[in-house]
Amino acid sequence: MSARSDLIPLQPGDRAPNLVLDAITQDGKIALDDFRGQKPVLVGLFRGLHCAFCRRHIAAQARLDPELREKGVESLTVVNTPIERARLYFRYHPMPNLLAASDPERASHRAFGLPNLEFTQNETNWPYKVSIGAAKDMLVDMPSELPRPMDPFAATEILNKRDNYEVTEADEQMMATGHGQLIGQFLLDRQGIVRWSFTEVPEGGRYMFGAPNPQELMSAVSQVAQ
């Protein structure tokens, strides 16, 4: 599938679309419109649980949840993983109060303007295409978990072993179409307007596999919570 070259992430001031997704950690559906007029919400749009980096981003967002709730802000995690596979994962890796939804089609990522990066042999047109060589040059530096800065493919192998994560057929199906899905977090106010964001899109991949500064995020949260 060719990468769409018309996707641009939503920016502060943009109105977020409504999403209706299958809930993972509770029954029924979750809709962004459920929060409009009620409370701000931090929406984390991640790759599937097959992504070792995303598993860590999800855990980091979950750890912030008590502080977010204290300020009256909800937190929603969206993963590109089929519902049953996602429910099984969170059953064995519970995160208190985690509100999560499944989006195997990545409709939410497209709606928020996050491109699905296409890997090529030698062509790079960031953030829509990247050559394998350029991707390998995006070294991941995680001193607490990796022996040295490593290319993301080698780092993934090590992190999956650390996590005892076994890639299933459901994971492989998601990876076949969304291995290069770029991710992001968007803070929406009570009216559903984006007030802050952090994505992997800017500056030619400088923020790939990275996470927002917690202090910067909480400063934005304090402003929307007023």
Side-chain angles (χ1 to χ4, degrees):
M1 182 181 294
S2 297
R4 281 181 57 182
S5 59
D6 60 343
L7 289 177
I8 300 173
L10 296 186
Q11 300 296 312
D14 290 338
R15 183 175 179 83
N18 184 36
L19 304 174
V20 182
L21 303 170
D22 288 321
I24 297 170
T25 47
Q26 64 184 40
D27 294 329
K29 303 279 188 180
I30 297 175
L32 277 188
D33 274 358
D34 294 341
F35 303 103
R36 295 192 205 274
Q38 303 297 319
K39 59 177 67 175
V41 57
L42 175 64
V43 182
L45 303 175
F46 302 106
R47 286 180 285 275
L49 294 166
H50 59 266
C51 169
F53 310 106
C54 292
R55 294 196 297 271
R56 284 154 176 78
H57 295 329
I58 292 165
Q61 182 165 314
R63 286 193 294 271
L64 282 176
D65 192 66
E67 196 171 349
L68 293 171
R69 287 176 181 270
E70 196 173 285
K71 293 183 177 295
V73 177
E74 187 59 84
S75 175
L76 173 63
T77 290
V78 179
V79 293
N80 166 218
T81 299
I83 187 71
E84 293 305 325
R85 171 60 170 155
R87 284 177 174 164
L88 181 64
Y89 177 84
F90 286 115
R91 188 177 307 148
Y92 288 98
H93 301 83
M95 298 180 192
N97 300 315
L98 178 72
L99 184 62
S102 166
D103 184 4
E105 303 298 326
R106 304 188 317 282
S108 52
H109 299 72
R110 290 190 296 275
F112 274 77
L114 294 170
N116 182 22
L117 193 62
E118 178 184 343
F119 292 96
T120 71
Q121 285 301 311
N122 50 33
E123 182 184 1
T124 294
N125 177 25
W126 189 268
Y128 309 107
K129 295 181 180 182
V130 66
S131 70
I132 296 296
K136 286 185 175 180
D137 286 340
M138 295 177 181
L139 299 183
V140 181
D141 189 10
M142 300 171 63
S144 63
E145 298 195 79
L146 298 175
R148 62 186 181 281
M150 308 179 74
D151 76 70
F153 306 104
T156 292
E157 278 192 47
I158 290 178
L159 296 176
N160 279 345
K161 287 180 182 178
R162 284 180 63 95
D163 297 346
N164 292 317
Y165 190 90
E166 295 185 10
V167 175
T168 66
E169 182 178 349
D171 291 324
E172 289 175 347
Q173 291 174 352
M174 297 299 97
M175 293 164 66
T177 57
H179 199 49
Q181 177 63 61
L182 300 184
I183 67 173
Q185 291 167 280
F186 298 83
L187 179 63
L188 313 183
D189 65 17
R190 289 178 181 82
Q191 285 70 48
I193 305 300
V194 176
R195 294 304 178 194
W196 170 93
S197 67
F198 176 91
T199 77
E200 291 181 320
V201 173
E203 299 183 32
R206 176 184 173 189
Y207 298 105
M208 281 295 290
F209 317 112
N213 180 293
Q215 288 75 30
E216 178 186 324
L217 169 56
M218 293 312 299
S219 175
V221 165
S222 295
Q223 291 180 33
V224 301
Q226 290 177 356

